[in-house]
Amino acid sequence: DQVSCTYVQVMQQAARAQDPSQRKADLRRRAILDATLVVISDGGLVSVRHRRVAAAAGVPLGSTTYYFANRDE
């Protein structure tokens, strides 16, 4: 599915990242993806909101829209 493919891509990018700032960005993106899976498991797809995901990931709200433009990503 789309989430799994994106998750695998992020993990591969994180493994290849040499630049510390790029690695930090990859890890934050991974944290957002992990949090999204938690939100989905707790309330289903209809419960996915930027605020919920950001809170679950422990990142600023703007991070969710910075790393992911929409739900399809």
Side-chain angles (χ1 to χ4, degrees), residues 9-18 23 26-27 30:
Q9 291 168 348
V10 169
M11 294 302 297
Q12 290 170 342
Q13 291 171 356
R16 289 191 305 259
Q18 299 297 320
R23 178 135 175 89
D26 289 342
L27 291 173
R30 177 182 173 189

Side-chain angles (χ1 to χ4, degrees), residues 1-14 26 29-35 37 68 73:
D1 63 17
Q2 184 69 32
V3 173
S4 297
C5 292
T6 303
Y7 184 78
V8 169
Q9 291 168 348
V10 169
M11 294 302 297
Q12 290 170 342
Q13 291 171 356
D26 289 342
R29 188 174 168 101
R30 177 182 173 189
I32 294 168
L33 281 172
D34 289 342
L37 294 175
F68 301 95
E73 288 189 343

